[in-house]
Amino acid sequence: PYEDFWTSRETFKIQVGANTFTREAISLAIDDELGRLQGSLEFSDLKTWPVRVMSPGAMGWFAWVPMMECYHGVVSMDHRIDGRLRFDDQILDFIGGRGYIEKDWGKQFPSAWIWGQSNHFGTPGVSLMLSVAVIPWVGRSFAGFIIGLLHDGTLHRFATYNRSRIESFSITDSEVDLVV
């Protein structure tokens, strides 16, 4: 129920009933008709998206536009996960795992979007995220995109707001081909 939802305005913290989500950890206590999921996971060595005055996060200067229907933030491009969860009688071990955290908020999601993320590459610390969406804009719309590639400790950004361009784009049921 809506009454079970709470979020902090000061920090990245969300509570849904007995479940807590922060940038440093999650704690789960779910017991319903689908099963029982309990435990906690801790996150460390977070690789954050840089926040600057003229580019406050993944959306760049679009984050300052008050009429956007949806806002997007990347909390961590890559981090270490430690902990275990219990699903019914099965232990799920996340020790040494890799994680990614993002957040979305606003009035509604775009009418169409594509999203992808991976940080499970042969080289630890490499992470890729992409988001392409139809963005309503002053009675019209355009295809906006954000791509972040974390490699060797550097975040490479390709986005509508930094004048990157999509050269070609195709999508099937099993593949997205995007050249930027």
Side-chain angles (χ1 to χ4, degrees):
Y2 178 76
E3 300 79 39
D4 286 353
F5 178 84
W6 176 85
T7 184
S8 170
R9 292 192 178 272
E10 288 80 39
T11 62
F12 183 71
K13 183 175 184 179
I14 300 164
Q15 287 185 262
V16 182
N19 307 285
T20 304
F21 305 85
T22 70
R23 58 180 275 157
E24 294 85 18
I26 64 172
S27 176
L28 301 174
I30 301 169
D31 190 358
D32 62 20
E33 66 277 356
L34 298 176
R36 185 177 184 159
L37 181 62
Q38 294 187 319
S40 61
L41 304 176
E42 294 182 2
F43 311 136
S44 59
D45 196 25
L46 278 73
K47 306 293 188 275
T48 59
W49 194 289
V51 173
R52 299 182 180 110
V53 172
M54 296 306 293
S55 185
M59 286 184 61
W61 63 265
F62 282 103
W64 294 115
V65 177
M67 63 187 180
M68 300 295 285
E69 68 180 8
C70 183
Y71 295 89
H72 183 82
V74 176
V75 178
S76 175
M77 283 290 292
D78 184 57
H79 56 266
R80 180 181 168 94
I81 303 173
D82 285 301
R84 293 180 178 91
L85 299 176
R86 176 184 289 274
F87 180 65
D88 291 332
D89 293 327
Q90 180 183 6
I91 299 293
L92 307 171
D93 187 344
F94 287 86
I95 294 174
R98 305 306 310 164
Y100 169 88
I101 305 170
E102 68 173 34
K103 58 184 180 176
D104 292 282
W105 67 100
K107 295 177 263 183
Q108 66 184 31
F109 257 60
S111 60
W113 75 92
I114 296 167
W115 174 89
Q117 186 280 328
S118 181
N119 56 2
H120 286 73
F121 294 96
T123 303
V126 175
S127 181
L128 174 70
M129 70 77 59
L130 70 90
S131 176
V132 182
V134 175
I135 311 297
W137 189 261
V138 193
R140 303 179 81 183
S141 63
F142 66 93
F145 68 98
I146 304 165
I147 300 171
L149 172 63
L150 180 64
H151 184 264
D152 283 339
T154 301
L155 179 63
H156 303 276
R157 293 170 279 201
F158 306 91
T160 306
Y161 62 80
N162 71 7
R163 296 191 176 138
S164 296
R165 299 281 182 243
I166 295 176
E167 295 292 327
S168 65
F169 177 65
S170 65
I171 184 169
T172 67
D173 289 342
S174 60
E175 183 175 281
V176 174
D177 185 18
L178 179 66
V179 177
V180 177

